[in-house]
Amino acid sequence: MAGAGGGNDIQWCFSQVKGAVDDDVAEADIISTVEFNHSGELLATGDKGGRVVIFQQEQENKTQSHSRGEYNVYSTFQSHEPEFDYLKSLEIEEKINKIRWLPQKNAAQFLLSTNDKTIKLWKISERDKRPEGYNLKEEDGRYRDPTTVTTLRVPVFRPMDLMVEASPRRIFANAHTYHINSISINSDYETYLSADDLRINLWHLEITDRSFNIVDIKPANMEELTEVITAAEFHPNSCSTFVYSSSKGTIRLCDMRASALCDRHSKLFEEPEDPSNRSFFSEIISSISDVKFSHSGRYMMTRDYLSVKIWDLNMENRPVETYQVHEYLRSKLCSLYENDCIFDKFECCWNGSDSIVMTGSYNNFFRMFDRNSKRDITLEASRENNKPRTVLKPRKVCASGKRKKDEISVDSLDFNKKILHTAWHPKENIIAVATTNNLYIFQDKMN
Amino acid sequence: MLGRGLKRKLSDYEESMAGLSSAFDSSRSLPYPLKRQLVLNMCLTKLQTYKMLVEPNLHRSVLIANTVRQIQEEMRQESSQQPVNICPGIAPASHSYTGMESPGIPLQLPSGVEDISPPTCLVPTGDDQPKFPENTGLKLEDDRQDLKGAECVFGSFEISNSTSYLKDLAIDDIFEDIDTSMYDSDFCCPPLMPPRSPSLATEEPLKTFPSCNSSSANNIQICRTDLSELDHIMEILVGS
């Protein structure tokens, strides 16, 4: 990676940062999800206040060949509002848990956004022309007196300032008793799944009044509950295959052709525990917070509290690669349990060619692992590095012993500055990294 | 800060939690049982806090409950390997929960510390007083009560599960005419008294509770008022 030279190393540079500058973070501004669309031209973020902000990449300027287009605000809309469940006296948070884009089929863009209970399909369309020259209406909309009309003309479309409109086209509600943690669009582009703590439902994008339940792990007696679903995703190519991860560190691959209710997995991926690492917190840190298929569909990646694991779908008994994200935290687990940081759900992502994986950490650090060179790098998302085209300096955490210059000791890490959500452009080396309330965009240095 | 951590009374653990957890992390010489007890207390505190929330986080509750169960299982196995510490007359682990009306946790405890028990056994007579060893037996019982309370956290996720507390009553008919509507709620108080058979000498374990201030004080405090009322009911029933 950066620093050591070598032809294939990427040098990451700051590009942009979005969001408020103050240290005082408004709760509603906390970013809760980040997602590029299929072309990478659009970048969507969701926040705790239920809003979705979409950024669009500028068309590349031929004169500015040293950098790719910048991302500017394209559309902002309120996707979800807080609701109140009167039956259970519970408030339903408007926080956007996940956004997933549909592939573009026509001029409009579609995305699914979800909070804890309800999924919505949004259509984002552009309007850059409007009709002018009506016979019976003035330009401001007032009706003309028909007797004053002496000539007739045909209205024509004239350009106007671009207006981007977002409208909810479908609302998929009332299908989840527990909190939705994942949505995933099937490769058939007609169906999608939504997963909560105990169940997974299959929807058709056109049908909102019913869904099929395809996984149900709720025990008859809730007091026997020992495991919950933490994430789920459809296979990128095989429209009958999906996986779901659990709080016990297992991943189950299911085939919808086998039976209507996929309670019996086709494959179970689980790594036996390393007895030398056993602690009281072993189960908690084995809980998988994210699962993502590679673009090729051959591998999947899981994120647990301390590591990222790459699994070959053909091998169930252990991952093919394991990368330690912040192993220095293993000796701090009790403190992290006490302040609840041990429950933080970090996400992970692949680059477009499946050669590098990325995930976040604390102190606004994020990590990248190059699967081919086996090299890794730690970078920081901070406003201090915000000069465009300045290469980011690699960071290092000193686990113990003598701290070298420029290293940070584990005890000085800021555990309130966590990077949970990251996204990688599907084709280019452009990444979006969300700190608590800011979105950073980094690009590789183009020479 | 290691010395302070070791000497601190467990009843003050809330205030010293931060100090204790960093002592846990940094010290290699903290004895294992103490570390284990510390973690257990932290877990129970969290579960207790979650019980008071309108909608506890299911994922976290499950993870913490599993940790509690694992620790308790370990403690049980340790104590069953040292039968001299627990009151004699135990049938080794033969009184599992499955035989009784209780949540289906496959936890097994030495029957000396169970509260649901067959009428024949248990509290020994004579001068062989049960030494409920402060650091295992009683805590086991407290913690098990708390775990039951913890299990009830999951119960609160379902409106229909509000009677889980009542399921624990092994002797329904005795309590038929007692108004139990106050217990009919989504959060459960650990059932300390009612499941006990009235023929048991219940005074003894009861007496040890107030004297034991090294238990998870919070959990006991919350149910102290209920305890005294149930006490009263028991006295009437037993006719003492």
Side-chain angles (χ1 to χ4, degrees):
Chain A
M1 314 280 314
N8 289 331
D9 284 353
I10 304 175
Q11 294 189 299
W12 290 101
C13 307
F14 172 85
S15 173
Q16 296 170 270
V17 60
K18 309 283 187 191
V21 191
D22 340 313
D23 282 336
D24 219 9
V25 180
E27 186 97 351
D29 291 339
I30 296 175
I31 298 173
S32 50
T33 185
V34 181
E35 188 82 356
F36 279 100
N37 77 335
H38 291 252
S39 65
E41 186 205 351
L42 298 177
L43 174 60
T45 61
D47 65 25
K48 208 162 176 209
R51 288 165 304 198
V52 171
V53 180
I54 302 177
F55 302 92
Q56 182 189 42
Q57 191 180 29
E58 268 173 10
Q59 292 311 304
E60 271 177 42
N61 193 331
K62 296 289 182 275
T63 62
Q64 287 192 330
S65 57
H66 53 255
S67 71
R68 298 183 185 81
E70 281 201 341
Y71 282 84
N72 300 315
V73 178
Y74 177 67
S75 171
T76 304
F77 57 93
Q78 186 75 31
S79 170
H80 287 70
E81 298 275 3
E83 283 173 49
F84 197 75
D85 180 336
Y86 292 97
L87 187 62
K88 297 184 190 172
S89 285
L90 292 176
E91 214 185 78
I92 300 171
E93 264 191 60
E94 66 275 32
K95 171 168 76 89
I96 308 294
N97 293 336
K98 284 282 161 28
I99 290 174
R100 290 288 181 263
W101 289 93
L102 265 77
Q104 190 172 14
K105 284 195 287 195
N106 52 36
Q109 300 278 358
F110 288 87
L111 61 78
L112 283 176
S113 71
T114 185
N115 69 349
D116 285 337
K117 298 286 186 182
T118 305
I119 307 128
K120 295 188 184 181
L121 176 70
W122 286 89
K123 176 179 178 183
I124 297 110
S125 47
E126 291 184 2
R127 192 197 292 263
D128 61 355
K129 296 183 268 290
R130 65 159 186 227
E132 285 178 19
Y134 284 104
N135 293 292
L136 294 176
K137 276 198 289 190
E138 303 286 359
E139 292 309 322
D140 59 9
R142 278 181 309 149
Y143 280 96
R144 287 167 75 179
D145 180 354
T147 55
T148 62
V149 176
T150 52
T151 59
L152 288 179
R153 55 191 174 160
V154 177
V156 291
F157 275 97
R158 296 220 190 278
M160 60 178 257
D161 289 341
L162 178 66
M163 209 166 71
V164 181
E165 300 167 322
S167 58
R169 305 302 285 178
R170 305 270 185 277
I171 297 181
F172 305 91
N174 301 321
H176 286 278
T177 309
Y178 304 98
H179 289 189
I180 297 175
N181 52 56
S182 314
I183 46 175
S184 176
I185 299 173
N186 204 347
S187 48
D188 63 10
Y189 302 141
E190 286 185 353
T191 56
Y192 74 94
L193 64 76
S194 58
D196 67 30
D197 292 316
L198 299 180
R199 298 191 176 103
I200 302 180
N201 293 332
L202 180 71
W203 302 82
H204 192 284
L205 284 164
E206 299 292 325
I207 299 170
T208 59
D209 61 355
R210 66 202 114 107
S211 65
F212 287 106
N213 176 242
I214 51 178
V215 172
D216 187 340
I217 64 168
K218 179 172 176 294
N221 182 355
M222 273 296 272
E223 290 167 4
E224 288 168 5
L225 181 65
T226 57
E227 195 173 7
V228 299
I229 296 170
T230 52
E233 199 181 44
F234 264 119
H235 190 276
N237 307 320
S238 166
C239 60
S240 52
T241 307
F242 66 93
V243 292
Y244 68 93
S245 60
S246 84
S247 55
K248 285 199 169 165
T250 63
I251 309 101
R252 287 173 175 80
L253 184 142
C254 299
D255 188 327
M256 296 193 293
R257 295 167 296 189
S259 71
L261 187 62
C262 301
D263 271 356
R264 289 168 57 191
H265 52 263
S266 301
K267 295 195 187 197
L268 175 68
F269 297 84
E270 186 173 17
E271 181 174 29
E273 198 192 343
D274 177 1
S276 62
N277 272 335
R278 178 121 192 94
S279 78
F280 299 114
F281 309 104
S282 289
E283 183 173 326
I284 297 179
I285 63 170
S286 74
S287 176
I288 292 174
S289 50
D290 195 15
V291 64
K292 292 265 169 51
F293 278 105
S294 63
H295 293 92
S296 64
R298 167 130 186 237
Y299 298 98
M300 67 178 173
M301 164 166 57
T302 57
R303 174 72 156 97
D304 51 71
Y305 190 62
L306 296 179
S307 68
V308 161
K309 295 180 181 174
I310 313 273
W311 302 79
D312 183 323
L313 292 190
N314 298 316
M315 187 160 77
E316 297 169 62
N317 58 358
R318 60 177 173 82
V320 289
E321 294 155 36
T322 301
Y323 301 103
Q324 300 302 334
V325 181
H326 35 219
E327 181 71 10
Y328 46 80
L329 295 183
R330 193 180 289 276
S331 56
K332 305 283 176 197
L333 290 179
C334 193
S335 310
L336 293 166
Y337 176 63
E338 195 247 319
N339 62 19
D340 281 349
C341 281
I342 209 174
F343 299 111
D344 286 336
K345 294 188 187 175
F346 292 95
E347 291 174 11
C348 53
C349 61
W350 299 84
N351 73 339
S353 58
D354 297 337
S355 58
I356 308 176
V357 297
M358 170 168 68
T359 189
S361 178
Y362 294 104
N363 211 69
N364 283 347
F365 287 173
F366 58 100
R367 303 260 286 138
M368 293 187 198
F369 302 94
D370 188 320
R371 299 176 62 211
N372 299 325
S373 69
K374 300 300 179 204
R375 300 220 311 245
D376 61 84
I377 190 170
T378 305
L379 298 172
E380 183 179 359
S382 131
R383 283 183 183 266
E384 285 164 18
N385 307 327
N386 62 354
K387 281 173 63 177
R389 299 198 305 283
T390 315
V391 177
L392 294 180
K393 197 174 77 163
R395 314 288 292 166
K396 194 146 163 54
V397 177
C398 165
S400 57
K402 208 157 151 47
R403 187 176 74 87
K404 299 194 190 85
K405 180 171 162 328
D406 286 347
E407 281 186 356
I408 296 190
S409 76
V410 184
D411 298 312
S412 352
L413 293 175
D414 187 343
F415 290 95
N416 291 320
K417 293 187 179 171
K418 47 193 94 171
I419 291 181
L420 303 174
H421 312 287
T422 58
W424 202 307
H425 190 289
K427 302 184 174 68
E428 315 267 359
N429 282 330
I430 303 175
I431 55 177
V433 171
T435 58
T436 308
N437 65 332
N438 285 160
L439 182 72
Y440 287 79
I441 299 173
F442 301 103
Q443 304 182 358
D444 68 351
K445 190 181 174 90
M446 290 170 76
N447 295 313
Chain B
M1 292 289 114
L2 176 58
R4 277 186 67 199
L6 279 176
K7 288 176 192 167
R8 212 175 297 259
K9 290 254 189 276
L10 285 172
S11 58
D12 294 336
Y13 72 91
E14 265 196 341
E15 291 151 347
S16 58
M17 194 47 66
L20 280 177
S21 59
S22 58
F24 178 110
D25 283 331
S26 53
S27 158
R28 283 179 214 281
S29 57
L30 212 57
Y32 181 79
L34 187 65
K35 280 189 175 183
R36 183 175 58 194
Q37 190 61 45
L38 167 65
V39 174
L40 184 59
N41 290 346
M42 285 170 66
C43 291
L44 295 172
T45 312
K46 282 187 191 285
L47 286 176
Q48 199 67 36
T49 316
Y50 294 169
K51 254 170 42 175
M52 303 203 269
L53 292 178
V54 184
E55 201 181 14
N57 182 316
L58 185 59
H59 177 227
R60 287 192 194 187
S61 306
V62 167
L63 287 176
I64 298 171
N66 288 351
T67 307
V68 169
R69 212 176 272 127
Q70 172 202 319
I71 291 177
Q72 291 183 342
E73 178 63 22
E74 201 179 280
M75 286 165 110
R76 184 206 68 79
Q77 279 178 355
E78 266 180 23
S79 60
S80 73
Q81 284 159 11
Q82 302 166 29
V84 66
N85 282 347
I86 306 191
C87 70
I90 302 169
S94 60
H95 301 281
S96 74
Y97 274 40
T98 51
M100 306 174 207
E101 309 250 343
S102 58
I105 322 161
L107 273 181
Q108 303 200 8
L109 292 173
S111 54
V113 290
E114 276 183 296
D115 60 357
I116 301 175
S117 52
T120 51
C121 171
L122 299 197
V123 181
T125 53
D127 39 6
D128 224 353
Q129 295 304 318
K131 290 183 202 171
F132 289 89
E134 300 240 317
N135 54 356
T136 54
L138 263 180
K139 284 201 176 32
L140 270 177
E141 171 135 31
D142 295 346
D143 301 335
R144 194 176 57 74
Q145 310 297 358
D146 298 322
L147 180 62
K148 272 193 178 178
E151 302 299 321
C152 294
V153 170
F154 306 147
S156 73
F157 284 92
E158 305 217 87
I159 298 171
S160 58
N161 211 13
S162 59
T163 54
S164 61
Y165 165 76
L166 296 173
K167 277 195 220 144
D168 298 333
L169 300 178
I171 309 135
D172 297 314
D173 39 356
I174 293 176
F175 297 96
E176 243 174 39
D177 55 347
I178 293 177
D179 178 16
T180 51
S181 59
M182 64 184 283
Y183 301 112
D184 220 2
S185 67
D186 273 356
F187 87 87
C188 305
C189 174
L192 287 167
M193 289 311 299
R196 258 176 238 275
S197 162
S199 65
L200 280 182
T202 55
E203 315 293 355
E204 199 130 10
L206 249 194
K207 280 185 197 144
T208 57
F209 274 98
S211 67
C212 167
N213 64 359
S214 60
S215 65
S216 312
N218 282 355
N219 306 305
I220 298 298
Q221 307 260 343
I222 287 170
C223 301
R224 220 178 259 284
T225 49
D226 299 324
L227 185 58
S228 55
E229 277 154 26
L230 293 168
D231 226 11
H232 184 60
I233 294 170
M234 283 310 303
E235 276 171 2
I236 295 170
L237 290 168
V238 174
S240 62

